[in-house]
Amino acid sequence: MFYLSIDVAKAKLDCSLLLDAASLKRKSKKIANSLSGFTERLMWLAKQGIKPADLHVTIKATGY
């Protein structure tokens, strides 16, 4: 299981992907909060070899 945390702002999404819970290895990426950003996020996850069924996503609004 992989974990993706997304901090949502009006213009961008700050994404943090936990690759290994034991070592806390992470990758992060900032993308646009738009349809093209959504597509970019899916391609980024596929590049990491992550399938949607293996992903748990948490989302929070910036400032909370």
Side-chain angles (χ1 to χ4, degrees):
M1 180 64 66
F2 296 94
Y3 297 90
L4 176 65
S5 174
I6 303 174
D7 189 0
V8 180
K10 183 177 181 180
K12 66 178 180 162
L13 304 172
D14 292 326
C15 302
S16 178
L17 177 64
L18 180 62
L19 295 170
D20 182 24
S23 67
L24 297 180
K25 183 176 178 182
R26 302 173 182 269
K27 285 200 173 190
S28 61
K29 185 165 186 72
K30 293 182 182 187
I31 58 173
N33 189 356
S34 64
L35 183 56
S36 64
F38 180 79
T39 302
E40 182 181 350
R41 184 176 61 241
L42 289 176
M43 291 181 358
W44 177 61
L45 291 169
K47 184 179 175 183
Q48 308 306 316
I50 298 172
K51 298 175 186 171
D54 298 330
L55 187 64
H56 182 81
V57 180
T58 60
I59 300 173
K60 76 171 196 80
T62 298
Y64 286 92

